[in-house]
Amino acid sequence: MEKTLYWQDESLFLIDQRKLPHTIEYVECKTYQEAIAAIKTMVVRGAPAIGVSAAYAMALAEKNNENLQQAAKDIKAARPTAVNLFWAVDQVLSGLENNITAQETAKRLHQEDIAINKKIGEYGNTVIDENDTILTHCNAGSLACADYGTALGVIRAAHEDGKNINVICDETRPVLQGARLSVFEMQQENIPVRLIVDGAAGHMMQKGQVDKVVIGADRVAKGGVANKIGSLMVALAAKRYDVPFYVAAPISTFDNENNIFDITIEQRDKDEVLKINDKYITKKETQVENPAFDIVESDLITGIITEEGIKKAL
Ligand code: MRU
């Protein structure tokens, strides 16, 4: 897989995920403001990748002799739902108090994320059986992390273990992370993959064509899990048809302070819904709701696969 992000010559380089899978291009961020813009516009996305990018954004602020408290505030305002963003900035701030530079902390978080995902893969592999068909929503893959992925990390680990598995990716409207990113990752690994429209997930489960669901998370908190819009409908269908529903997420995605129903669900631009390939698919004055995430309640979740083992939802 191409690298999601890397640090070179005092700059942060991010693969431009808006252009995948057809074009592989990196965006260079020399300032923390450029890194914020990249997070907001989804050049980089996915909770762990946002977290690592936020830590490097602090390193950019440090390099440019910016006010680091102000930078931390600005970076935390980039996107509201993925808790990894806040967690990573706080990790940098507490490092600074102990004379550890922002760049050192960012590099540590970058490396640790890869090791954590491999561990999630190891634990996740224990619930995957030979000949399983696994449905996933959005992209919780290598591109959503420093490497390897959480939900797709579980799938990678099962594949590396020699299990015969099949993957179904929901397309994930409106940004199409499933169609553009998860399918691309599976194809690169030669893991058999089929793409479905979001509305087909229930149908596939009703027909008995899905053995497990594995998704990622933007936040795990008391009451449930926040993840990409559409996750709730998948979870409801899984419950109805007795399909085990797993969430794969690092401990850095856990928010032990808030109830999941109190968190901010990001609302994104209406043009994401009104347009496909930059062309209006309906009248441009149409009223739109565009919540980017929804909440899967704890009782719909079979288990949360973390680097510390498989836990019960909070
Ligand atoms: O809006 P996105 O693309 O940042 O949303 C990503 C997701 O919902 C992922 O499932 C989640 O961040 C987990 S990534 C390991």
Side-chain angles (χ1 to χ4, degrees):
M1 262 313 291
E2 280 73 19
K3 281 193 166 73
T4 307
L5 55 93
Y6 59 92
W7 179 261
Q8 191 179 290
D9 302 332
E10 302 296 294
S11 284
L12 171 64
F13 290 84
L14 301 165
I15 197 166
D16 192 340
Q17 302 201 26
R18 300 167 304 182
K19 297 188 174 161
L20 290 172
H22 299 301
T23 306
I24 293 171
E25 211 173 274
Y26 283 83
V27 170
E28 180 179 1
C29 304
K30 293 183 175 171
T31 65
Y32 86 85
Q33 292 88 349
E34 285 170 354
I36 291 174
I39 293 170
K40 283 189 173 164
T41 57
M42 295 175 77
V43 168
V44 63
R45 33 67 50 200
I50 291 173
V52 174
S53 302
Y56 279 125
M58 287 295 289
L60 291 170
E62 176 183 73
K63 175 201 77 170
N64 294 329
N65 296 317
E66 304 264 6
N67 177 326
L68 291 179
Q69 292 302 328
Q70 185 58 46
K73 221 171 131 203
D74 295 345
I75 295 163
K76 284 183 177 186
R79 287 188 77 184
T81 307
V83 79
N84 305 58
L85 172 71
F86 309 97
W87 172 85
V89 172
D90 287 340
Q91 288 274 308
V92 171
L93 291 176
S94 64
L96 290 170
E97 279 169 21
N98 294 302
N99 294 322
I100 300 165
T101 66
Q103 191 178 138
E104 283 166 336
T105 301
K107 286 182 171 165
R108 172 177 67 79
L109 297 183
H110 189 171
Q111 288 317 311
E112 280 177 7
D113 187 57
I114 302 172
I116 286 168
N117 293 335
K118 294 248 164 95
K119 209 73 205 155
I120 289 174
E122 245 175 68
Y123 284 116
N125 182 29
T126 63
V127 303
I128 304 298
D129 296 309
E130 178 69 6
N131 298 325
D132 266 357
T133 295
I134 305 156
L135 183 140
T136 191
H137 188 74
C138 193
N139 171 265
S142 166
L143 291 163
C145 302
D147 199 359
Y148 206 70
T150 59
L152 296 193
V154 170
I155 289 167
R156 273 196 173 87
H159 177 72
E160 285 164 10
D161 192 26
K163 287 179 185 160
N164 174 41
I165 49 166
N166 284 271
V167 176
I168 295 177
C169 293
D170 289 348
E171 62 172 348
T172 320
R173 272 280 286 156
V175 179
L176 303 175
Q177 292 94 331
R180 297 186 303 103
L181 309 177
S182 292
V183 167
F184 175 59
E185 287 197 31
M186 295 295 92
Q187 286 168 339
Q188 289 219 337
E189 303 280 348
N190 287 320
I191 299 173
V193 61
R194 282 169 290 160
L195 173 65
I196 60 169
V197 298
D198 297 323
H203 172 78
M204 299 300 282
M205 288 190 237
Q206 189 184 49
K207 299 276 259 184
Q209 293 190 24
V210 178
D211 299 297
K212 311 264 155 62
V213 175
V214 187
I215 64 163
D218 285 83
R219 207 185 280 228
V220 177
K222 195 165 168 37
V225 163
N227 192 52
K228 181 52 54 196
I229 192 74
S231 299
L232 172 60
M233 292 205 307
V234 176
L236 289 167
K239 184 80 170 174
R240 167 79 183 177
Y241 298 111
D242 278 333
V243 177
F245 184 97
Y246 289 98
V247 173
I251 296 296
S252 56
T253 303
F254 282 60
D255 170 358
N256 295 314
E257 281 161 27
N258 296 294
N259 186 290
I260 199 75
F261 290 101
D262 295 335
I263 71 165
T264 304
I265 298 286
E266 179 182 13
Q267 301 285 329
R268 290 191 62 86
D269 196 278
K270 62 180 173 22
D271 275 358
E272 284 184 352
V273 179
L274 288 176
K275 289 178 172 179
I276 290 180
N277 283 342
D278 232 20
K279 283 211 168 77
Y280 284 103
I281 54 167
T282 187
K283 291 189 175 167
K284 68 169 183 249
E285 58 276 16
T286 303
Q287 295 290 311
V288 168
E289 290 283 336
N290 188 16
F293 302 96
D294 59 24
I295 309 289
V296 179
E297 290 121 317
S298 295
D299 66 310
L300 301 174
I301 299 169
T302 310
I304 303 189
I305 307 163
T306 76
E307 68 273 31
E308 294 176 357
I310 302 180
K311 296 179 183 282
K312 276 178 68 165
L314 306 178

